[in-house]
Amino acid sequence: MQVKRLAIALVAATPLFAAAQSNVQLYGILDAAISSQDTGGPEGRQTVVNSGNQSSSRFGFRGSEDLGNGLKAIFNLEAGTSIDTGAGDSALFGRRAVVGLEGAFGTVTLGREYSPIASVAAATDAFGQGFYGSNLSAFGANFPNASATTTNRLTRRLGNSINYKSASFGGLKVLAAFAAGETAATTTASPNTSLEKGNLWGGGVEYTAGGLYLGAAYHQIKRVAADEDKETAVGGSYKFDQLGGFEIKANWMKAERPAVADYKQANIGGSIPFGANRFYVNFQQQKQGNAEGKTWALAYTYSLSKRTNLYASYASLDNNNTGVFGIASSSVTVAPPATRLGADPDVFSLGLRHAF
């Protein structure tokens, strides 16, 4: 109830914020779809209405204050919501909650922020991390997470973090992040126990030149009771203006966790526009130990305006006899039960997306 009251108060106060500072913006995305999905089990197909197949539904506040001499104070609060039920995320501003400074040196933010690996993955996903078959299936629980071995995936969002993104130097940008695990003290004295364990360190580089993008990032997490977690992502994309805006994108990501097999994912895909239409295709391979899953995915959008579009999405995943991988869209994952090895999920979706 307190969360609901806070959300209502923020929305009601928006005109006051705007009067005090004209560059504060209320924005959001509303995305809903009807889908026919099959997890590969004996139950057969199911028809559902869900939220966030192309883009996670959300609302947020962002703005800046000019401090002079090229320096700005910036902030962003962003909350997720589900159009199908009206429910909000468990944390009100769980998508992003930062305050920071921006200037000739680049940008520094503190709070809940996207990780360096998330930046590279977003820039190199042919589906824009929307539609079924996106590379979001490579990500697990956000940081901090004391039990990452249950997900064996990469880290997308960082709580308790300080983040830096440099200005562009000849197309090159440097990313850096530190996230505090804020480990609690224990009553057991041990030379191997440190309150600094549980922290995450991350970094990356991005290079842009014309239609070319290249990126690489790395995370390391010092676990309290285990060895270090290591996460890696590399990717690239190219936009062919001479071919009407055809884009090709590819990436490779890996999560190394103590005592479990490494998780690996590779993607390659592209998209091409024709007037108000855009067509997408992506191939994805997931591996963990002897388990393997391969996904072919297609998507289509039709723009009704600059802010509203219709879309269709289809994806089919082929698991080997030990695989139980799933198909992820922006907010929804279709996956077989953990005990149904070798099941092959597929999903078809029709939706409407509006940005404001």
Side-chain angles (χ1 to χ4, degrees):
M1 183 61 70
Q2 291 179 343
V3 170
K4 291 181 180 178
R5 289 174 179 171
L6 176 58
I8 293 170
L10 286 168
V11 173
T14 300
L16 299 179
F17 293 156
Q21 185 170 310
S22 60
N23 59 355
V24 175
Q25 179 187 10
L26 169 65
Y27 69 94
I29 295 175
L30 303 177
D31 181 325
I34 182 169
S35 302
S36 175
Q37 61 187 40
D38 185 349
T39 63
E43 300 84 1
R45 304 197 71 81
Q46 180 185 27
T47 300
V48 299
V49 175
N50 48 36
S51 175
N53 288 8
Q54 180 183 355
S55 300
S56 297
S57 296
R58 70 198 75 168
F59 71 91
F61 304 88
R62 59 190 171 204
S64 65
E65 180 187 12
D66 189 347
L67 302 176
N69 298 317
L71 186 66
K72 291 183 179 180
I74 60 173
F75 78 90
N76 188 192
L77 296 170
E78 187 171 287
T81 185
S82 296
I83 298 303
D84 53 338
T85 64
D89 289 349
S90 56
L92 177 57
F93 293 116
R95 289 184 56 83
R96 193 174 188 233
V98 297
V99 64
L101 294 172
E102 180 180 284
F105 57 86
T107 304
V108 175
T109 58
L110 291 91
R112 184 171 177 83
E113 181 64 286
Y114 287 95
S115 70
I117 282 180
S119 182
V120 173
T124 58
D125 182 34
F127 281 3
Q129 295 193 319
F131 306 121
Y132 286 105
S134 76
N135 67 17
L136 287 178
S137 54
F139 294 91
N142 295 310
F143 186 90
N145 172 32
S147 184
T149 55
T150 61
T151 59
N152 195 46
R153 296 291 191 273
L154 294 95
T155 305
R156 191 176 181 215
R157 292 185 177 93
L158 305 178
N160 309 327
S161 70
I162 178 170
N163 307 270
Y164 171 69
K165 189 168 188 175
S166 75
S168 178
F169 299 99
L172 183 68
K173 293 184 177 181
V174 176
L175 315 177
F178 167 76
E182 300 185 0
T183 306
T186 65
T187 58
T188 302
S190 170
N192 297 320
T193 299
S194 167
L195 294 182
E196 289 302 311
K197 286 191 174 183
N199 296 341
L200 179 148
W201 295 87
V205 291
E206 296 180 310
Y207 176 74
T208 304
L212 175 67
Y213 169 90
L214 297 172
Y218 176 80
H219 298 164
Q220 184 169 296
I221 307 172
K222 293 182 176 293
R223 291 291 169 195
V224 175
D227 294 331
E228 296 174 348
D229 297 355
K230 299 175 182 178
E231 304 172 351
T232 307
V234 295
S237 67
Y238 194 84
K239 183 177 181 180
F240 298 85
D241 291 330
Q242 64 273 30
L243 297 179
F246 168 66
E247 288 185 290
I248 185 169
K249 299 186 177 184
N251 54 63
W252 178 85
M253 293 176 279
K254 180 180 180 181
E256 301 174 65
R257 300 282 188 251
V260 295
D262 296 347
Y263 173 85
K264 302 175 185 178
Q265 184 185 116
N267 293 270
I268 184 167
S271 66
I272 187 167
F274 291 99
N277 309 277
R278 193 172 192 103
F279 298 89
Y280 305 77
V281 62
N282 191 65
F283 173 74
Q284 180 180 107
Q285 182 184 57
Q286 301 179 77
K287 287 185 176 182
Q288 186 175 356
N290 295 324
E292 181 178 5
K294 298 179 179 179
T295 302
W296 280 102
L298 301 169
Y300 164 77
T301 61
Y302 179 78
S303 297
L304 299 172
S305 71
K306 290 183 177 180
R307 296 184 292 119
T308 305
N309 69 269
L310 302 170
Y311 64 84
S313 173
Y314 174 76
S316 177
L317 190 155
D318 180 19
N319 277 307
N320 68 0
N321 57 8
T322 59
V324 285
F325 297 107
I327 307 168
S329 69
S330 188
S331 292
V332 185
T333 297
V334 177
T339 57
R340 193 167 295 281
L341 302 180
D344 298 329
D346 71 86
V347 56
F348 175 72
S349 182
L350 294 172
L352 171 66
R353 175 186 180 274
H354 174 74
F356 63 90

